[in-house]
Amino acid sequence: MSTLTDILMEIDDSINYEKEKALIDDRLLDSFAVISLIGELEETFEIQIEASQIIPDNFNSVEAMEAMIRRLQGMD
Amino acid sequence: MAYHTSIYLFLFLPVVLLLYQITPRKIRPFVLLAAGYVFFWIISGELVWYLILTTLFTHYIAIWIEGTEVKNKKGRKRILIFGILVLLGVLGYLKYYNFFAQNVNRVLDQVHPGVAITMKMIVLPIGISFYTLQAIGYMVDVYWKKIPAEKNLAKVALFLGFFPQIMEGPISMYPQTSQQLWKGDPITLENLTGGSLRIIWGLFKKMIIADRLYLVVQAVFEHYDKYNGVVIAAAAVAYTVQLYMEFSGCMDIVLGSGQILGVTLPENFRQPFASRNAAEFWRRWHITLGVWLKTYVFFPVSTSRIVKRWNHFGKTHLSKHMTKLGISAIALFPVWLGNGLWHGARWSYLFYGMYYFTILLLGIAVEPIRDQILKVCRINQDAVWWRMLQIGKTWMIIFTGELFFRANGLRAGYRMFRSIFENFTLDKLWDGTFLSFGLDKADYFIVFCGCLCVAIVGIIRERSLLDTQQMQKVCLPVRWAVYYGLIIAVILFGAYGVGYQQVDLIYAGF
């Protein structure tokens, strides 16, 4: 999902997304970054992210976000 | 029976610990549950019914939500909204009825003199603002299917009525504490010493620093018309330090009590005065309230239809930055309105919430300009001088906010703030004015040394040099020197006895 990395780079290009596995826990992405990210993800991947999905486990790494996107696309 | 009083520390807590330890494992959670209700009853008497009814209501609403078909999204949502409205309705009535009546009467007095809404004598059950938020959080978590609805009523009751948390929080989420509370593990020597150390540290902050500063704060804030300039500014600083030492000190006693029982409660403070901006400050100050508001208000609003519409509109009509600013305004407004209202029924608390809303929004608004300036001026954001400047700016924001928070009303807050700029000379700091507040030079020296100790411990924690668990591994003589040093400091320098009065916990009033 190279689009996901592009979206993340748009939000903050100073982070090494391949390396970082605790984007939320280490506070690399704050709440505002997360809500910007959600808007982009919803539009790009045509998914609905509800408040219950906004937990660190879903946003800590690119892999976790990919898994969430796949899960939500499957649900649709 | 506040947590820093001798009745709690030398009678209630030891008796509960003893009963807990001597009873069989399976009975231990019930000892904690009974202790919670006794604690509540000692402070609020028959108002304990509010806690009992809230527990029953929350328990059955959660089961009702879970029992409703997953496909019936609207039905589940309606039950949740009903549950939230009832709990907030009770809290709102008890906390805000008189405030509402008072303000309506002011308007009525202008329109129809002689017509007025009757004011009522309402006594608040202790900790209602804390256990109501925990109850709402639990119901929402069940609705979101993060956790299953708990079938055992006693488990929900213990989650809402764990005695160390009743008065001042921390506001925990069900998965954080429920399992630990129900384990019934025996008290270990490690937990007993670690928890006791934390309790003594809390007493150190409360009795040596906060209760002394209380005298200065009381003298200036209650007679603010007599002072101006640096005296008002110093009183605002003194109140901020008093509040921090008292609230975080109380949290140390609460978390220490939990630790002895093998329960790790969530931390409420993380060196807040090391924050570089207001947003960071609120990630370090009253953390559990911030996390609650973020989880149950900020994120749901951020993913609501109105934000999505704004996002869509912004993409076609506005710049990226303006879109973000709009989303932030929509999502932050209810958070800070809620923060202000949660503290109580006063215009100054509402102002306090709106003050931080404005500051955070301004921070986001000027972000591009700030980044540009930093780039052009080639400022290294990690440079010590720059960090100090940012911390200094954050302190100004914090002190101003706390001045309005403590002032006797919004008007008094405004007058106090304005008077800081009148006749501002540093002479007042050493011309004897501060010795007229009931503290002598030795008291100020003790406060200074106490703050220094807290700052050093803060730096050690901030740099992760030594945490509570590592403290247990420090060689025995050093550890015992710390224990005895703290106990002796509290006995010798604690503000109690002749010349001092028992100071109630500020946050217990919320």
Side-chain angles (χ1 to χ4, degrees):
Chain A
M1 283 192 196
S2 62
T3 332
L4 174 58
T5 319
D6 295 341
I7 292 170
L8 286 164
M9 290 300 279
E10 277 271 305
I11 285 167
D12 190 338
D13 59 4
S14 66
I15 300 170
N16 182 346
Y17 292 102
E18 274 180 32
K19 200 181 111 197
E20 299 295 347
K21 303 294 169 203
L23 292 166
I24 306 295
D25 292 340
D26 290 348
R27 297 191 181 87
L28 295 169
L29 290 180
D30 63 12
S31 315
F32 297 108
V34 171
I35 57 171
S36 304
L37 178 61
I38 286 168
E40 294 294 332
L41 294 181
E42 286 192 327
E43 205 158 297
T44 311
F45 297 101
E46 293 177 342
I47 51 172
Q48 284 268 12
I49 300 174
E50 290 181 3
S52 57
Q53 306 286 339
I54 312 174
I55 50 171
D57 285 353
N58 283 342
F59 291 90
N60 261 334
S61 64
V62 173
E63 292 79 18
M65 286 181 233
E66 283 173 352
M68 178 188 69
I69 292 164
R70 274 197 295 270
R71 205 170 55 241
L72 292 172
Q73 283 175 330
M75 277 165 74
D76 294 340
Chain B
M1 187 177 54
Y3 299 117
H4 65 290
T5 57
S6 42
I7 190 164
Y8 174 80
L9 295 166
F10 301 122
L11 186 66
F12 186 84
L13 185 62
V15 168
V16 173
L17 295 179
L18 187 69
L19 288 174
Y20 178 89
Q21 192 72 348
I22 60 171
T23 46
R25 196 185 194 112
K26 279 186 176 175
I27 308 295
R28 282 178 184 150
F30 294 97
V31 172
L32 296 182
L33 184 57
Y37 281 93
V38 170
F39 184 88
F40 200 103
W41 181 79
I42 289 172
I43 297 170
S44 285
E46 59 189 21
L47 297 181
V48 72
W49 279 108
Y50 280 101
L51 178 62
I52 295 170
L53 292 174
T54 300
T55 304
L56 286 168
F57 181 78
T58 306
H59 176 64
Y60 288 110
I61 286 285
I63 288 176
W64 192 10
I65 291 171
E66 195 179 62
T68 307
E69 268 188 71
V70 180
K71 281 181 186 171
N72 186 2
K73 276 188 179 177
K74 276 188 180 170
R76 285 166 59 87
K77 200 171 191 173
R78 274 189 203 134
I79 302 166
L80 176 72
I81 290 171
F82 168 70
I84 293 173
L85 285 180
V86 169
L87 292 184
L88 286 183
V90 173
L91 179 68
Y93 174 75
L94 294 175
K95 232 174 155 172
Y96 310 108
Y97 174 82
N98 280 336
F99 178 68
F100 172 76
Q102 199 180 12
N103 285 289
V104 169
N105 286 345
R106 270 187 203 155
V107 177
L108 283 175
D109 196 41
Q110 303 290 321
V111 188
H112 293 290
V115 180
I117 298 175
T118 324
M119 304 285 275
K120 291 181 180 171
M121 258 297 288
I122 296 173
V123 185
L124 273 179
I126 192 76
I128 186 168
S129 305
F130 295 94
Y131 71 70
T132 301
L133 293 197
Q134 287 201 177
I136 292 173
Y138 168 67
M139 291 191 305
V140 177
D141 282 352
V142 171
Y143 171 77
W144 281 343
K145 288 176 262 167
K146 274 187 182 174
I147 51 167
E150 179 57 64
K151 305 295 179 299
N152 186 343
L153 174 64
K155 280 191 180 180
V156 180
L158 185 53
F159 165 66
L160 295 177
F162 183 46
F163 71 90
Q165 283 178 279
I166 286 175
M167 267 183 127
E168 295 204 1
I171 301 158
S172 55
M173 295 180 187
Y174 194 73
Q176 281 176 320
T177 55
S178 61
Q179 291 305 320
Q180 300 184 67
L181 287 167
W182 209 252
K183 271 196 304 188
D185 284 345
I187 297 166
T188 62
L189 184 66
E190 196 184 345
N191 281 339
L192 185 66
T193 50
S196 302
L197 179 65
R198 188 98 198 237
I199 290 174
I200 301 165
W201 180 236
L203 288 173
F204 179 94
K205 288 178 180 173
K206 161 82 178 139
M207 294 178 74
I208 294 180
I209 308 169
D211 289 359
R212 273 196 174 77
L213 289 175
Y214 166 81
L215 296 171
V216 179
V217 171
Q218 195 74 356
V220 179
F221 277 83
E222 296 304 318
H223 308 283
Y224 65 91
D225 45 338
K226 287 185 189 168
Y227 307 101
N228 57 23
V230 75
V231 179
I232 300 282
V237 176
Y239 177 65
T240 309
V241 177
Q242 182 209 350
L243 184 64
Y244 172 65
M245 295 299 172
E246 199 205 273
F247 194 14
S248 73
C250 176
M251 283 303 111
D252 288 322
I253 301 173
V254 166
L255 270 76
S257 302
Q259 192 182 338
I260 296 175
L261 292 159
V263 179
T264 308
L265 294 168
E267 293 285 347
N268 238 352
F269 292 93
R270 198 168 48 83
Q271 292 77 255
F273 297 106
S275 309
R276 292 167 72 169
N277 53 52
E280 188 183 353
F281 172 70
W282 278 98
R283 288 196 295 271
R284 291 168 174 265
W285 174 281
H286 205 172
I287 297 169
T288 56
L289 177 65
V291 168
W292 193 96
L293 288 167
K294 187 168 83 175
T295 310
Y296 302 110
V297 181
F298 182 81
F299 284 141
V301 176
S302 304
T303 51
S304 66
R305 221 172 283 167
I306 182 168
V307 168
K308 280 174 187 168
R309 273 187 200 154
W310 173 263
N311 205 8
H312 192 73
F313 172 80
K315 276 198 169 159
T316 44
H317 297 89
L318 300 169
S319 67
K320 216 172 184 180
H321 180 63
M322 283 306 288
T323 310
K324 183 186 172 183
L325 192 64
I327 294 173
S328 307
I330 300 167
L332 283 177
F333 181 77
V335 168
W336 290 100
L337 182 69
N339 186 304
L341 281 172
W342 180 87
H343 281 94
R346 279 172 62 173
W347 286 111
S348 46
Y349 292 149
L350 271 175
F351 175 82
Y352 182 72
M354 289 302 105
Y355 168 77
Y356 274 104
F357 167 69
T358 312
I359 283 173
L360 292 179
L361 213 57
L362 276 175
I364 298 165
V366 300
E367 232 170 45
I369 305 166
R370 190 203 59 189
D371 290 348
Q372 202 62 33
I373 293 171
L374 289 172
K375 209 172 165 185
V376 171
C377 299
R378 290 181 185 171
I379 293 171
N380 174 11
Q381 292 199 58
D382 291 322
V384 176
W385 71 270
W386 178 249
R387 287 170 65 164
M388 290 298 144
L389 203 70
Q390 283 187 303
I391 290 172
K393 173 209 72 182
T394 310
W395 283 16
M396 294 302 137
I397 292 170
I398 301 167
F399 297 148
T400 307
E402 295 306 340
L403 183 145
F404 280 95
F405 186 80
R406 169 61 181 83
N408 292 335
L410 197 50
R411 200 171 293 165
Y414 172 67
R415 282 188 188 159
M416 287 181 80
F417 181 71
R418 208 179 51 182
S419 72
I420 291 176
F421 306 99
E422 294 165 7
N423 198 18
F424 193 99
T425 53
L426 293 177
D427 302 356
K428 288 272 178 195
L429 288 174
W430 27 80
D431 71 353
T433 307
F434 280 84
L435 296 176
S436 65
F437 300 144
L439 296 184
D440 57 23
K441 283 180 185 172
D443 282 313
Y444 284 109
F445 183 68
I446 291 168
V447 168
F448 173 75
C449 292
C451 289
L452 201 63
C453 289
V454 174
I456 291 167
V457 171
I459 292 167
I460 291 171
R461 280 188 182 160
E462 186 68 13
R463 300 194 170 182
S464 308
L465 299 176
L466 189 70
D467 62 23
T468 322
Q469 255 125 39
Q470 286 168 317
M471 182 69 196
Q472 307 276 345
K473 290 170 194 156
V474 173
C475 70
L476 201 69
V478 176
R479 219 175 340 135
W480 282 99
V482 172
Y483 293 159
Y484 278 111
L486 282 174
I487 293 170
I488 292 167
V490 171
I491 293 171
L492 288 182
F493 305 122
Y496 60 91
V498 183
Y500 298 103
Q501 64 183 93
Q502 181 98 7
V503 184
D504 292 336
L505 296 171
I506 300 169
Y507 264 73
F510 298 140

